[in-house]
Amino acid sequence: MFASFYLKRKLVNTSDNTTYDYLSSKSKILHLGMVQKRCGLLGNSVLSFITFICYIASSAASFMMAPLIEFLLALFLFFAYSSKLNEKFKGIYWPLTDFLRCVTAAIIYFAISIAAVSKYSDGASKAAGVFGFIATIVFAVDFYITFNDLVMFLKQGGSENETEAQKSEDSCTVFTV
């Protein structure tokens, strides 16, 4: 609903000189992907913050650093995508950064959730473990979605590199004597 506010509009002149205003389907797909990414990052940061609060209140306070770091990283990436830093800094491949964050978060959350549920007996530790398992699932889904974006990028990048290599080979002439 609010996504249509940000979509790029194009004006098209037809043969009878009437102008139509329509949404570009490419920009719609790109924007909906960014909205999905922002919602995922917001969900990751909310779950990380809840898990962080549960670990602070529990006797398993030694595990509070991992949710705090994941919370801060998710907020940073949310800010970066919202302020379009990913378009300004082309040297960083942002989906790869997000993919690595999600993979490490899923593994770390799974490990500390098992430790919190099995080792500590207070209710806050159990709640932190349950929220950690939920966060593990959410991060796993997020890195699966991000992995598909990476595969599409690598397929596109591979075909561009082949055409550039073919162009450079075609432009070079080798003289043999």
Side-chain angles (χ1 to χ4, degrees):
M1 293 173 208
F2 72 91
S4 63
F5 175 74
Y6 293 106
L7 295 177
K8 294 180 183 176
R9 296 190 177 271
K10 288 186 178 181
L11 297 175
V12 176
N13 290 325
T14 60
S15 60
D16 59 349
N17 288 331
T18 56
T19 304
Y20 291 104
D21 188 20
Y22 76 97
L23 294 175
S24 168
S25 61
K26 184 177 180 182
S27 64
K28 188 181 215 181
I29 292 169
L30 290 175
H31 181 71
L32 291 178
M34 287 307 251
V35 169
Q36 179 185 9
K37 177 54 68 182
R38 288 180 193 160
C39 289
L41 286 170
L42 202 56
N44 290 344
S45 61
V46 167
L47 271 173
S48 296
F49 185 71
I50 291 171
T51 308
F52 172 68
I53 295 299
C54 289
Y55 277 123
I56 287 177
S58 73
S59 59
S62 59
F63 296 135
M64 75 175 183
M65 202 60 178
L68 176 64
I69 290 172
E70 292 302 329
F71 171 68
L72 294 175
L73 285 173
L75 279 182
F76 169 72
L77 284 175
F78 179 77
F79 173 75
Y81 282 123
S82 295
S83 62
K84 298 185 180 180
L85 285 177
N86 58 333
E87 295 174 2
K88 294 177 184 172
F89 296 108
K90 298 286 185 180
I92 300 172
Y93 185 61
W94 294 91
L96 180 63
T97 306
D98 193 27
F99 175 75
L100 292 175
R101 180 190 62 88
C102 290
V103 168
T104 56
I107 293 169
I108 291 171
Y109 269 117
F110 186 69
I112 66 173
S113 297
I114 288 174
V117 169
S118 64
K119 189 175 179 182
Y120 298 97
S121 61
D122 61 327
S125 295
K126 303 287 184 193
V130 168
F131 279 116
F133 285 126
I134 293 170
T136 300
I137 293 169
V138 169
F139 279 109
V141 168
D142 195 17
F143 82 70
Y144 174 75
I145 292 169
T146 308
F147 178 75
N148 288 335
D149 293 340
L150 282 173
V151 168
M152 286 178 31
F153 170 76
L154 291 175
K155 284 181 181 178
Q156 291 172 355
S159 64
E160 289 174 3
N161 290 340
E162 288 174 6
T163 57
E164 289 177 10
Q166 289 173 354
K167 287 179 185 176
S168 66
E169 287 176 5
D170 292 340
S171 64
C172 294
T173 30
V174 178
F175 295 104
T176 57
V177 179

